[in-house]
Amino acid sequence: MTDPTKPWDAELVRKWLARRFEVSRLDQAAADRRGYEARDDYDKAAAEEWACRALKDSACTSDQAAFATRIKELVSQDDYQAASTYDDTRFQRHVRTYLRKLAKMTKANEGFEKSLRHQ
């Protein structure tokens, strides 16, 4: 069971976002090398990169409530612009899915300590 009084660690969140950003770029390169059958993997990695880029340098990471609010704002967007995706609809669906995952992690204040490449 998690400790409900666990303090928000802004530095850990920023570090986690930066790592996930770098990993998503590596995942895109790997999917690109695999070719046609890895288009969905490429779009998933591009969605993760987009979400991490939108959040990693933001000042809102200093406060849990502000971070959660920013994620909600991003989820409510109608359109996410990204270059070189294979399927825009699929990409946008993956962005929303990834942002919802981040919202759950933020609400529970857990998961940011996990730094393995594949999660």
Side-chain angles (χ1 to χ4, degrees):
M1 195 156 157
T2 60
D3 183 10
T5 60
K6 181 179 169 185
W8 180 253
D9 188 349
E11 184 59 34
L12 181 65
V13 172
R14 282 190 290 273
K15 186 185 295 184
W16 186 88
L17 287 168
R19 285 181 179 167
R20 295 309 308 162
F21 176 78
E22 293 301 322
V23 167
S24 67
R25 295 185 62 124
L26 294 172
D27 289 346
Q28 284 179 70
D32 198 33
R33 284 190 301 271
R34 286 196 327 257
Y36 184 81
E37 74 279 351
R39 291 180 304 160
D40 188 51
D41 293 339
Y42 184 92
D43 287 345
K44 280 182 187 177
E48 182 177 8
E49 178 190 3
W50 189 96
C52 290
R53 177 182 286 131
L55 294 167
K56 74 180 178 108
D57 294 326
S58 178
C60 68
T61 57
S62 299
D63 179 50
Q64 186 176 7
F67 191 63
T69 301
R70 179 66 181 136
I71 292 171
K72 286 180 185 177
E73 289 170 1
L74 290 173
V75 168
S76 67
Q77 274 185 308
D78 290 334
D79 194 28
Y80 305 102
Q81 296 297 321
S84 72
T85 57
Y86 287 100
D87 184 340
D88 288 339
T89 305
R90 181 174 50 205
F91 168 76
Q92 292 185 26
R93 184 178 64 238
H94 289 317
V95 170
R96 284 189 184 88
T97 300
Y98 194 77
L99 289 170
R100 287 185 190 112
K101 173 188 170 185
L102 283 174
K104 287 179 185 178
M105 289 172 60
T106 301
K107 183 176 180 183
N109 192 16
E110 61 182 27
F112 294 108
E113 66 281 349
K114 297 177 183 175
S115 60
L116 296 177
R117 179 171 179 181
H118 298 287
Q119 295 190 15

